[in-house]
Amino acid sequence: MADFEKCSLALQKGQAKEVVAIVEEAITEGIGAKTILEEGLMSGMSIIGVKFKNNEVYVPEVLIAARAMNMGAALLKPLLMEEGVEPKGKAVLGTVKGDLHDIGKNLVRMMMEGKGIEVIDLGVDVSAEKFLTGAKENSAKIVCCSALLTTTMTQMESVVKGFVDSGMRDDVTIMIGGAPVTQNYCDSIGADIYTADAATAAEVAAELF
Ligand code: B1M
């Protein structure tokens, strides 16, 4: 039986090989991808978050934990995909300018792809202009912005403004999320939809299509 406690500890130590092995074991045992993600991976990452806040671990440790998390999560991607689903529509996705956090964004991508949505991932540190060009070039109907810092979430307002100024505001639905983001903030900047987690973001996006 895959040991999620061990997986969480390995993730916290950045032992990517160990994390990958336990995730593979859990998949073989037929445990659901969502359970593996939440109990094996995200549990470890939230402990790292608390330790990071309390200065018990520092950026290098967090980076190797994040690498282990991304490697484990990548194995779950095929399980999150619905077999034979035709692409429902296109979304562009990115972490806003000045922000390098990509784990939550990657989860949003995986969950959306799992719902049959084609996701154009613009990466991290994405400027308002890049969101605009990305949406235009790909004729994307949904624009997804992720932010993890209180100092960078304000970039989401620039993204909304960019679409207003270019006359494209009515062509897209702007979805926002990330730890510091709230429904109130979404309302205040004129974005369309706030969701608290990646799975809900994907459900809502699929409904929009
Ligand atoms: Co950063 N960091 N970090 N960090 N980091 C936080 C966010 C912080 C809360 C830690 C803390 O102090 N407790 C804090 C922010 C404080 C604040 O602004 N309020 C912080 C800080 C301060 C910083 C630096 C400034 C530290 C420094 O250098 N002094 C620096 C900034 C760098 C930059 O971006 N310019 C920094 C750097 C880093 C690392 C590079 C070391 C690393 C990132 C590695 C990577 O992403 N590849 C890192 C990490 C890993 C974290 C923590 C520990 C974990 C974040 C994470 O991946 N969580 C984090 C503490 C924490 O969150 N507890 C912290 C797991 C992930 C699944 O959750 O991304 O929230 P999350 O995604 C969730 C939801 O938010 C939602 O779905 C997911 C769940 O399903 N969601 C969406 C996300 N995007 C969405 C979009 C949607 C919908 C839902 O629609 C479009």
Short mmCIF file of all heavy atoms in Angstrom, two decimals, residues 42 45-46 48-50 52-53 58-60 62-63 66-67 69-70 93 98-105 107-108 112 143-152 175-180 193 195-199 201, ligand 1:
data_model
loop_
_atom_site.label_atom_id
_atom_site.label_comp_id
_atom_site.label_asym_id
_atom_site.label_seq_id
_atom_site.Cartn_x
_atom_site.Cartn_y
_atom_site.Cartn_z
N MET A 42 0.24 17.52 -2.13
CA MET A 42 -0.10 18.85 -1.62
C MET A 42 0.06 18.94 -0.10
O MET A 42 0.38 20.00 0.43
CB MET A 42 -1.50 19.25 -2.07
CG MET A 42 -1.48 19.68 -3.53
SD MET A 42 -3.08 19.96 -4.26
CE MET A 42 -3.60 21.43 -3.44
N MET A 45 3.61 19.84 0.47
CA MET A 45 3.92 21.21 0.05
C MET A 45 3.34 22.23 1.02
O MET A 45 3.93 23.27 1.26
CB MET A 45 3.39 21.42 -1.38
CG MET A 45 3.83 22.72 -2.02
SD MET A 45 5.59 23.10 -1.85
CE MET A 45 6.28 22.25 -3.22
N SER A 46 2.19 21.91 1.64
CA SER A 46 1.66 22.91 2.58
C SER A 46 2.49 22.94 3.87
O SER A 46 2.62 24.00 4.49
CB SER A 46 0.17 22.70 2.86
OG SER A 46 -0.07 21.41 3.27
N ILE A 48 5.74 22.50 3.89
CA ILE A 48 6.90 23.31 3.47
C ILE A 48 6.53 24.80 3.51
O ILE A 48 7.33 25.64 3.92
CB ILE A 48 7.34 22.90 2.03
CG1 ILE A 48 8.21 21.64 2.10
CG2 ILE A 48 8.10 23.99 1.31
CD1 ILE A 48 9.60 21.86 2.67
N GLY A 49 5.29 25.11 3.12
CA GLY A 49 4.83 26.50 3.13
C GLY A 49 4.88 27.10 4.52
O GLY A 49 5.35 28.23 4.71
N VAL A 50 4.44 26.33 5.51
CA VAL A 50 4.45 26.82 6.90
C VAL A 50 5.89 27.00 7.37
O VAL A 50 6.26 28.02 7.97
CB VAL A 50 3.69 25.83 7.82
CG1 VAL A 50 3.82 26.24 9.27
CG2 VAL A 50 2.23 25.75 7.41
N PHE A 52 8.50 27.54 5.55
CA PHE A 52 9.10 28.65 4.79
C PHE A 52 8.73 29.97 5.48
O PHE A 52 9.57 30.84 5.70
CB PHE A 52 8.55 28.58 3.36
CG PHE A 52 9.21 29.51 2.37
CD1 PHE A 52 10.55 29.81 2.42
CD2 PHE A 52 8.45 30.06 1.34
CE1 PHE A 52 11.14 30.64 1.47
CE2 PHE A 52 9.03 30.90 0.38
CZ PHE A 52 10.37 31.19 0.45
N LYS A 53 7.47 30.05 5.86
CA LYS A 53 6.97 31.26 6.53
C LYS A 53 7.69 31.49 7.85
O LYS A 53 8.00 32.62 8.23
CB LYS A 53 5.47 31.09 6.77
CG LYS A 53 4.78 32.36 7.19
CD LYS A 53 3.30 32.13 7.29
CE LYS A 53 2.60 33.40 7.75
NZ LYS A 53 1.17 33.18 7.84
N TYR A 58 14.51 27.43 3.68
CA TYR A 58 14.77 28.60 2.84
C TYR A 58 14.57 28.26 1.35
O TYR A 58 14.26 27.13 1.01
CB TYR A 58 16.19 29.12 3.13
CG TYR A 58 16.30 29.57 4.58
CD1 TYR A 58 16.79 28.69 5.55
CD2 TYR A 58 15.83 30.81 4.98
CE1 TYR A 58 16.84 29.06 6.89
CE2 TYR A 58 15.87 31.19 6.31
CZ TYR A 58 16.38 30.32 7.27
OH TYR A 58 16.39 30.69 8.58
N VAL A 59 14.76 29.28 0.50
CA VAL A 59 14.43 29.13 -0.92
C VAL A 59 15.00 27.84 -1.55
O VAL A 59 14.26 27.13 -2.23
CB VAL A 59 14.87 30.40 -1.71
CG1 VAL A 59 14.73 30.18 -3.21
CG2 VAL A 59 14.04 31.59 -1.28
N PRO A 60 16.27 27.47 -1.33
CA PRO A 60 16.77 26.25 -2.00
C PRO A 60 15.96 25.00 -1.63
O PRO A 60 15.63 24.19 -2.52
CB PRO A 60 18.21 26.13 -1.50
CG PRO A 60 18.58 27.50 -1.08
CD PRO A 60 17.33 28.14 -0.58
N VAL A 62 12.88 24.92 -0.62
CA VAL A 62 11.53 25.03 -1.20
C VAL A 62 11.58 24.68 -2.70
O VAL A 62 10.70 24.00 -3.23
CB VAL A 62 10.95 26.45 -0.99
CG1 VAL A 62 9.55 26.54 -1.58
CG2 VAL A 62 10.91 26.79 0.48
N LEU A 63 12.66 25.11 -3.35
CA LEU A 63 12.80 24.83 -4.79
C LEU A 63 12.90 23.34 -5.07
O LEU A 63 12.26 22.83 -5.99
CB LEU A 63 14.05 25.53 -5.34
CG LEU A 63 13.85 26.93 -5.87
CD1 LEU A 63 15.18 27.50 -6.35
CD2 LEU A 63 12.85 26.94 -7.02
N ALA A 66 9.59 21.82 -4.56
CA ALA A 66 8.70 22.17 -5.69
C ALA A 66 9.00 21.29 -6.90
O ALA A 66 8.10 20.85 -7.61
CB ALA A 66 8.87 23.64 -6.05
N ARG A 67 10.29 21.02 -7.11
CA ARG A 67 10.69 20.16 -8.24
C ARG A 67 10.12 18.75 -8.05
O ARG A 67 9.57 18.15 -8.97
CB ARG A 67 12.22 20.12 -8.32
CG ARG A 67 12.75 19.40 -9.51
CD ARG A 67 14.26 19.57 -9.66
NE ARG A 67 14.84 18.41 -10.29
CZ ARG A 67 15.36 17.38 -9.64
NH1 ARG A 67 15.39 17.39 -8.33
NH2 ARG A 67 15.84 16.35 -10.29
N MET A 69 7.53 17.99 -6.28
CA MET A 69 6.07 18.09 -6.43
C MET A 69 5.69 18.06 -7.92
O MET A 69 4.80 17.33 -8.34
CB MET A 69 5.60 19.40 -5.78
CG MET A 69 4.21 19.85 -6.16
SD MET A 69 3.01 19.55 -4.88
CE MET A 69 1.48 19.77 -5.79
N ASN A 70 6.40 18.87 -8.72
CA ASN A 70 6.08 18.93 -10.16
C ASN A 70 6.30 17.59 -10.84
O ASN A 70 5.52 17.19 -11.71
CB ASN A 70 6.92 20.02 -10.84
CG ASN A 70 6.26 21.40 -10.74
OD1 ASN A 70 5.04 21.51 -10.70
ND2 ASN A 70 7.07 22.44 -10.68
N LEU A 93 -3.10 30.59 -20.26
CA LEU A 93 -2.86 30.51 -18.82
C LEU A 93 -1.45 31.01 -18.50
O LEU A 93 -0.51 30.73 -19.25
CB LEU A 93 -2.99 29.04 -18.39
CG LEU A 93 -2.43 28.60 -17.04
CD1 LEU A 93 -3.28 29.13 -15.90
CD2 LEU A 93 -2.37 27.06 -16.96
N GLY A 98 6.18 39.28 -12.67
CA GLY A 98 6.90 39.41 -11.39
C GLY A 98 6.78 38.21 -10.50
O GLY A 98 7.41 38.14 -9.44
N ASP A 99 5.98 37.25 -10.91
CA ASP A 99 5.69 36.09 -10.06
C ASP A 99 6.19 34.80 -10.72
O ASP A 99 5.86 34.53 -11.87
CB ASP A 99 4.16 36.00 -9.84
CG ASP A 99 3.79 35.17 -8.63
OD1 ASP A 99 4.47 34.17 -8.37
OD2 ASP A 99 2.81 35.54 -7.96
N LEU A 100 7.00 34.04 -9.95
CA LEU A 100 7.64 32.85 -10.54
C LEU A 100 7.01 31.55 -10.04
O LEU A 100 7.47 30.46 -10.40
CB LEU A 100 9.14 32.86 -10.20
CG LEU A 100 9.89 34.13 -10.64
CD1 LEU A 100 11.33 34.10 -10.16
CD2 LEU A 100 9.84 34.28 -12.16
N HIS A 101 6.00 31.65 -9.21
CA HIS A 101 5.37 30.42 -8.68
C HIS A 101 4.58 29.73 -9.79
O HIS A 101 3.72 30.34 -10.42
CB HIS A 101 4.42 30.77 -7.52
CG HIS A 101 5.12 31.36 -6.34
ND1 HIS A 101 5.40 32.69 -6.24
CD2 HIS A 101 5.60 30.77 -5.22
CE1 HIS A 101 6.03 32.92 -5.09
NE2 HIS A 101 6.18 31.76 -4.44
N ASP A 102 4.88 28.44 -10.00
CA ASP A 102 4.19 27.79 -11.12
C ASP A 102 3.46 26.49 -10.77
O ASP A 102 2.86 25.86 -11.64
CB ASP A 102 5.15 27.55 -12.30
CG ASP A 102 6.21 26.50 -12.02
OD1 ASP A 102 6.26 25.98 -10.88
OD2 ASP A 102 6.98 26.18 -12.94
N ILE A 103 3.52 26.07 -9.52
CA ILE A 103 2.93 24.76 -9.19
C ILE A 103 1.40 24.81 -9.32
O ILE A 103 0.80 23.94 -9.95
CB ILE A 103 3.35 24.31 -7.78
CG1 ILE A 103 4.89 24.15 -7.75
CG2 ILE A 103 2.69 22.99 -7.41
CD1 ILE A 103 5.46 23.83 -6.40
N GLY A 104 0.79 25.84 -8.76
CA GLY A 104 -0.66 25.97 -8.86
C GLY A 104 -1.10 26.15 -10.30
O GLY A 104 -2.06 25.54 -10.76
N LYS A 105 -0.35 26.97 -11.03
CA LYS A 105 -0.65 27.18 -12.46
C LYS A 105 -0.60 25.85 -13.21
O LYS A 105 -1.48 25.54 -14.02
CB LYS A 105 0.35 28.16 -13.08
CG LYS A 105 0.28 28.22 -14.60
CD LYS A 105 1.40 29.02 -15.21
CE LYS A 105 2.74 28.33 -15.18
NZ LYS A 105 2.85 27.11 -16.00
N LEU A 107 -1.07 22.94 -12.05
CA LEU A 107 -2.24 22.12 -11.67
C LEU A 107 -3.47 22.56 -12.45
O LEU A 107 -4.25 21.73 -12.93
CB LEU A 107 -2.52 22.24 -10.17
CG LEU A 107 -1.62 21.45 -9.22
CD1 LEU A 107 -2.06 21.68 -7.79
CD2 LEU A 107 -1.68 19.96 -9.55
N VAL A 108 -3.64 23.87 -12.57
CA VAL A 108 -4.78 24.39 -13.34
C VAL A 108 -4.70 23.85 -14.76
O VAL A 108 -5.69 23.36 -15.32
CB VAL A 108 -4.80 25.95 -13.33
CG1 VAL A 108 -5.86 26.48 -14.29
CG2 VAL A 108 -5.05 26.48 -11.93
N MET A 112 -7.48 21.40 -16.42
CA MET A 112 -8.23 21.88 -17.59
C MET A 112 -8.04 20.93 -18.76
O MET A 112 -8.99 20.60 -19.47
CB MET A 112 -7.81 23.30 -17.97
CG MET A 112 -8.35 24.33 -17.01
SD MET A 112 -8.19 25.99 -17.66
CE MET A 112 -9.08 26.90 -16.39
N VAL A 143 -9.07 33.44 -20.42
CA VAL A 143 -7.75 33.90 -20.00
C VAL A 143 -7.62 33.59 -18.51
O VAL A 143 -8.44 34.04 -17.71
CB VAL A 143 -7.60 35.42 -20.25
CG1 VAL A 143 -6.27 35.94 -19.72
CG2 VAL A 143 -7.74 35.72 -21.74
N CYS A 144 -6.60 32.81 -18.15
CA CYS A 144 -6.45 32.39 -16.75
C CYS A 144 -5.18 32.96 -16.15
O CYS A 144 -4.08 32.71 -16.64
CB CYS A 144 -6.35 30.87 -16.67
SG CYS A 144 -7.75 30.02 -17.34
N CYS A 145 -5.34 33.71 -15.06
CA CYS A 145 -4.19 34.32 -14.40
C CYS A 145 -4.03 33.75 -13.00
O CYS A 145 -4.98 33.69 -12.23
CB CYS A 145 -4.38 35.83 -14.25
SG CYS A 145 -4.77 36.68 -15.76
N SER A 146 -2.80 33.37 -12.69
CA SER A 146 -2.48 32.86 -11.36
C SER A 146 -1.49 33.81 -10.70
O SER A 146 -0.60 34.35 -11.37
CB SER A 146 -1.87 31.46 -11.50
OG SER A 146 -1.46 30.95 -10.25
N ALA A 147 -1.65 34.04 -9.39
CA ALA A 147 -0.68 34.86 -8.64
C ALA A 147 -0.57 34.33 -7.23
O ALA A 147 -1.57 33.94 -6.63
CB ALA A 147 -1.12 36.33 -8.62
N LEU A 148 0.64 34.30 -6.71
CA LEU A 148 0.87 33.78 -5.36
C LEU A 148 1.35 34.85 -4.38
O LEU A 148 1.46 34.59 -3.18
CB LEU A 148 1.91 32.65 -5.41
CG LEU A 148 1.41 31.21 -5.46
CD1 LEU A 148 0.87 30.76 -4.13
CD2 LEU A 148 0.34 31.03 -6.51
N LEU A 149 1.63 36.03 -4.90
CA LEU A 149 2.17 37.07 -4.02
C LEU A 149 1.19 38.24 -3.96
O LEU A 149 0.60 38.60 -4.97
CB LEU A 149 3.51 37.58 -4.56
CG LEU A 149 4.63 36.54 -4.72
CD1 LEU A 149 5.81 37.15 -5.48
CD2 LEU A 149 5.11 36.05 -3.35
N THR A 150 1.07 38.82 -2.77
CA THR A 150 0.20 39.99 -2.63
C THR A 150 0.74 41.14 -3.49
O THR A 150 -0.02 41.99 -3.95
CB THR A 150 0.10 40.44 -1.17
OG1 THR A 150 1.41 40.41 -0.60
CG2 THR A 150 -0.79 39.55 -0.35
N THR A 151 2.05 41.12 -3.71
CA THR A 151 2.65 42.20 -4.51
C THR A 151 2.43 42.01 -6.01
O THR A 151 2.56 42.96 -6.77
CB THR A 151 4.17 42.27 -4.25
OG1 THR A 151 4.70 40.95 -4.35
CG2 THR A 151 4.47 42.86 -2.90
N THR A 152 2.15 40.79 -6.45
CA THR A 152 1.97 40.57 -7.89
C THR A 152 0.51 40.41 -8.31
O THR A 152 0.19 40.57 -9.49
CB THR A 152 2.76 39.33 -8.38
OG1 THR A 152 2.29 38.19 -7.66
CG2 THR A 152 4.25 39.50 -8.19
N MET A 175 -10.41 34.54 -15.88
CA MET A 175 -10.50 33.77 -14.63
C MET A 175 -9.23 34.01 -13.82
O MET A 175 -8.13 34.02 -14.38
CB MET A 175 -10.62 32.27 -14.94
CG MET A 175 -11.90 31.92 -15.65
SD MET A 175 -12.05 30.15 -15.97
CE MET A 175 -12.03 29.47 -14.32
N ILE A 176 -9.40 34.21 -12.52
CA ILE A 176 -8.21 34.46 -11.70
C ILE A 176 -8.20 33.54 -10.47
O ILE A 176 -9.23 33.04 -10.04
CB ILE A 176 -8.10 35.94 -11.25
CG1 ILE A 176 -9.30 36.34 -10.37
CG2 ILE A 176 -7.99 36.87 -12.44
CD1 ILE A 176 -9.14 37.72 -9.72
N GLY A 177 -6.99 33.32 -9.94
CA GLY A 177 -6.88 32.49 -8.75
C GLY A 177 -5.46 32.53 -8.21
O GLY A 177 -4.57 33.17 -8.77
N GLY A 178 -5.26 31.84 -7.10
CA GLY A 178 -3.96 31.85 -6.40
C GLY A 178 -4.21 32.18 -4.95
O GLY A 178 -5.22 32.82 -4.63
N ALA A 179 -3.29 31.76 -4.09
CA ALA A 179 -3.51 31.86 -2.64
C ALA A 179 -4.00 33.22 -2.12
O ALA A 179 -4.93 33.26 -1.31
CB ALA A 179 -2.27 31.41 -1.90
N PRO A 180 -3.43 34.36 -2.55
CA PRO A 180 -3.90 35.63 -1.95
C PRO A 180 -5.15 36.19 -2.61
O PRO A 180 -5.71 37.18 -2.14
CB PRO A 180 -2.71 36.57 -2.20
CG PRO A 180 -2.04 36.04 -3.41
CD PRO A 180 -2.32 34.57 -3.49
N ILE A 193 -14.24 35.62 -13.17
CA ILE A 193 -14.47 34.47 -12.29
C ILE A 193 -13.25 34.23 -11.39
O ILE A 193 -12.11 34.18 -11.87
CB ILE A 193 -14.75 33.19 -13.12
CG1 ILE A 193 -16.03 33.37 -13.95
CG2 ILE A 193 -14.86 31.96 -12.22
CD1 ILE A 193 -16.27 32.29 -14.98
N THR A 195 -11.83 31.35 -8.72
CA THR A 195 -12.04 30.03 -8.12
C THR A 195 -10.88 29.76 -7.17
O THR A 195 -9.74 30.20 -7.41
CB THR A 195 -12.12 28.89 -9.17
OG1 THR A 195 -10.99 28.97 -10.02
CG2 THR A 195 -13.39 28.97 -9.99
N ALA A 196 -11.16 29.04 -6.10
CA ALA A 196 -10.16 28.85 -5.05
C ALA A 196 -9.18 27.72 -5.37
O ALA A 196 -8.08 27.70 -4.82
CB ALA A 196 -10.86 28.56 -3.73
N ASP A 197 -9.58 26.79 -6.21
CA ASP A 197 -8.65 25.69 -6.50
C ASP A 197 -8.70 25.30 -7.97
O ASP A 197 -9.62 25.69 -8.71
CB ASP A 197 -8.96 24.48 -5.60
CG ASP A 197 -10.35 23.95 -5.84
OD1 ASP A 197 -10.53 23.24 -6.83
OD2 ASP A 197 -11.26 24.28 -5.05
N ALA A 198 -7.69 24.53 -8.35
CA ALA A 198 -7.50 24.19 -9.76
C ALA A 198 -8.66 23.34 -10.31
O ALA A 198 -9.09 23.54 -11.44
CB ALA A 198 -6.17 23.46 -9.92
N ALA A 199 -9.13 22.41 -9.50
CA ALA A 199 -10.20 21.52 -9.99
C ALA A 199 -11.46 22.32 -10.29
O ALA A 199 -12.11 22.12 -11.32
CB ALA A 199 -10.48 20.44 -8.95
N ALA A 201 -11.58 25.50 -11.00
CA ALA A 201 -11.30 26.35 -12.18
C ALA A 201 -11.58 25.55 -13.46
O ALA A 201 -12.21 26.06 -14.40
CB ALA A 201 -9.85 26.82 -12.15
CO1 B1M B 1 7.14 31.56 -2.49
N1 B1M B 1 5.93 32.55 -1.31
N2 B1M B 1 8.26 33.13 -2.65
N3 B1M B 1 8.33 30.39 -3.44
N4 B1M B 1 6.13 30.11 -1.89
C1 B1M B 1 4.72 31.88 -0.89
C2 B1M B 1 3.58 32.12 -1.88
C3 B1M B 1 4.44 32.54 0.54
C4 B1M B 1 2.95 32.52 0.95
C5 B1M B 1 5.34 31.83 1.57
C6 B1M B 1 5.14 32.38 2.96
O1 B1M B 1 5.65 33.39 3.31
N5 B1M B 1 4.38 31.67 3.76
C7 B1M B 1 4.99 33.95 0.31
C8 B1M B 1 4.00 34.99 -0.23
C9 B1M B 1 3.59 36.01 0.81
C10 B1M B 1 2.61 36.94 0.24
O2 B1M B 1 2.81 37.60 -0.74
N6 B1M B 1 1.48 36.99 0.89
C11 B1M B 1 6.11 33.67 -0.66
C12 B1M B 1 7.23 34.53 -0.88
C13 B1M B 1 7.30 35.75 0.03
C14 B1M B 1 8.20 34.27 -1.86
C15 B1M B 1 9.43 35.12 -2.19
C16 B1M B 1 9.20 36.64 -2.25
C17 B1M B 1 10.52 34.73 -1.17
C18 B1M B 1 11.81 35.49 -1.27
O3 B1M B 1 12.50 35.41 -2.24
N7 B1M B 1 12.08 36.22 -0.21
C19 B1M B 1 9.85 34.58 -3.59
C20 B1M B 1 9.17 35.33 -4.74
C21 B1M B 1 9.70 34.89 -6.08
C22 B1M B 1 8.84 35.44 -7.19
O4 B1M B 1 7.83 34.83 -7.54
N8 B1M B 1 9.21 36.58 -7.76
C23 B1M B 1 9.33 33.18 -3.49
C24 B1M B 1 9.92 32.10 -4.14
C25 B1M B 1 9.47 30.81 -4.07
C26 B1M B 1 10.21 29.64 -4.70
C27 B1M B 1 10.85 29.97 -6.04
C28 B1M B 1 11.29 29.21 -3.73
C29 B1M B 1 9.08 28.54 -4.74
C30 B1M B 1 8.30 28.49 -6.07
C31 B1M B 1 8.73 27.32 -6.93
C32 B1M B 1 7.74 27.06 -8.04
O5 B1M B 1 6.60 27.44 -8.03
N9 B1M B 1 8.27 26.37 -9.03
C33 B1M B 1 8.11 29.06 -3.67
C34 B1M B 1 7.09 28.26 -3.08
C35 B1M B 1 7.05 26.80 -3.49
C36 B1M B 1 6.16 28.79 -2.15
C37 B1M B 1 5.14 28.03 -1.27
C38 B1M B 1 5.95 27.35 -0.17
C39 B1M B 1 4.26 26.99 -1.96
C40 B1M B 1 3.46 27.52 -3.15
C41 B1M B 1 2.84 26.37 -3.86
O6 B1M B 1 3.33 25.94 -4.88
N10 B1M B 1 1.79 25.80 -3.25
C42 B1M B 1 4.22 29.23 -0.76
C43 B1M B 1 3.63 29.01 0.63
C44 B1M B 1 2.23 28.43 0.56
O7 B1M B 1 1.52 28.56 -0.39
N11 B1M B 1 1.85 27.79 1.62
C45 B1M B 1 5.05 30.41 -1.03
C46 B1M B 1 1.11 24.61 -3.77
C47 B1M B 1 0.17 25.04 -4.91
C48 B1M B 1 -0.60 23.81 -5.38
O8 B1M B 1 -0.75 25.98 -4.38
O9 B1M B 1 -0.08 27.79 -6.05
O10 B1M B 1 -1.67 28.28 -4.11
P1 B1M B 1 -1.15 27.35 -5.13
O11 B1M B 1 -2.35 26.87 -6.08
C49 B1M B 1 -3.57 26.49 -5.52
C50 B1M B 1 -4.60 27.61 -5.46
O12 B1M B 1 -4.06 28.86 -5.10
C51 B1M B 1 -5.26 27.56 -6.79
O13 B1M B 1 -5.17 26.20 -7.21
C52 B1M B 1 -4.17 25.50 -6.46
C53 B1M B 1 -4.86 24.37 -5.69
O14 B1M B 1 -5.63 23.58 -6.49
N12 B1M B 1 -4.81 28.37 -7.90
C54 B1M B 1 -5.70 28.78 -8.85
C55 B1M B 1 -3.57 28.80 -8.26
N13 B1M B 1 -3.65 29.49 -9.39
C56 B1M B 1 -4.93 29.49 -9.80
C57 B1M B 1 -5.57 30.05 -10.91
C58 B1M B 1 -6.95 29.89 -11.06
C59 B1M B 1 -7.68 29.20 -10.09
C60 B1M B 1 -7.07 28.63 -8.99
O15 B1M B 1 -7.66 30.39 -12.09
C61 B1M B 1 -6.99 30.92 -13.18
#
